[in-house]
C-alpha cells in the first residue's frame, strides 16, 4: 500500500455460491469518488469494474445500485456476505464476498480520504486538462 492508494487481492468471491473467484480491489486518493474491482475470469484475464465508493458503502448496509453494479448485504450471523451483481451486454454474474473483508477495504480507503471529504481531494484542474487535451 502506498500513501495515496489502497490495493488488495485478498478478497475471494464465490460465483454461484460454490466457485471461488479471485478479485482485487483498488482505491486511489487521486480518484476519491471511485473504487475499482477486478475479477479474474481465467488465468490471464481480469474483468474490471469501476464504480462509486459511495455505492460500495451503501451496499454494505442495504440494497444499493440500479445500474450495471448492484450490491446488497445478505446472510445469517456468522456468515454475512456482500452480494455483488454485475451486468454487461456480455453477461451477468452474482458474486458473494465476505462482508468483513470488504468493510476492512472501505475502512482503509477512509483512512486515505475520509468519507464525505472526497471533494477536498478531487483535482478539478487535472480533470479539465484531461478533457481538453483529448
Amino acid at each position: 500500500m502506498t500513501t495515496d492508494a489502497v490495493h488488495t487481492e485478498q478478497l475471494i468471491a464465490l460465483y454461484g455460491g460454490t466457485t471461488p473467484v479471485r478479485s482485487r480491489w483498488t482505491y486511489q486518493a487521486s480518484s476519491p469518488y471511485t473504487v475499482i474491482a477486478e475479477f479474474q475470469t481465467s488465468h490471464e484475464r481480469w474483468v474490471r469494474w469501476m464504480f462509486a465508493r459511495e455505492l460500495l458503502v451503501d451496499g454494505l448496509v442495504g440494497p444499493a445500485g440500479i445500474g450495471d453494479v448492484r450490491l446488497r448485504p445478505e446472510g445469517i450471523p456468522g456468515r454475512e456476505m456482500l452480494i455483488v451483481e454485475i451486468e454487461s451486454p456480455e453477461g451477468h454474474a452474482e458474486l458473494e464476498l465476505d462482508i468483513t473483508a470488504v468493510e476492512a477495504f472501505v475502512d482503509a480507503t477512509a483512512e486515505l480520504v475520509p468519507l464525505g471529504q472526497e471533494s477536498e481531494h478531487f483535482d478539478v484542474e487535472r480533470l479539465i486538462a484531461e478533457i481538453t487535451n483529448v
Side-chain angles (χ1 to χ4, degrees):
M1 177 169 64
T2 66
T3 58
D4 67 343
V6 175
H7 178 77
T8 181
E9 290 191 30
Q10 305 306 315
L11 300 179
I12 302 297
L14 294 177
Y15 180 61
T18 57
T19 306
V21 176
R22 192 166 68 150
S23 67
R24 54 189 181 202
W25 295 69
T26 305
Y27 177 80
Q28 297 180 329
S30 60
S31 296
Y33 291 102
T34 60
V35 295
I36 297 171
E38 296 175 284
F39 300 96
Q40 190 172 27
T41 59
S42 67
H43 179 66
E44 296 180 11
R45 185 166 188 264
W46 292 82
V47 176
R48 180 181 219 195
W49 291 86
M50 181 183 294
F51 55 92
R53 177 171 69 160
E54 183 178 16
L55 176 65
L56 183 58
V57 170
D58 291 347
L60 289 170
V61 295
I66 57 171
D68 294 341
V69 178
R70 293 177 302 280
L71 309 166
R72 70 181 184 279
E74 192 172 281
I76 56 174
R79 191 174 188 290
E80 296 178 9
M81 301 166 289
L82 177 67
I83 305 300
V84 178
E85 289 185 72
I86 50 178
E87 191 169 335
S88 74
E90 291 81 36
H92 172 268
E94 185 172 296
L95 304 154
E96 300 173 358
L97 291 145
D98 177 74
I99 203 162
T100 305
V102 178
E103 289 170 338
F105 173 76
V106 170
D107 289 346
T109 72
E111 287 180 24
L112 289 177
V113 177
L115 298 170
Q117 295 182 16
E118 293 86 356
S119 64
E120 296 174 23
H121 296 266
F122 186 67
D123 187 352
V124 175
E125 302 300 325
R126 183 179 58 86
L127 178 62
I128 291 171
E130 285 179 26
I131 292 171
T132 57
N133 289 326
V134 174

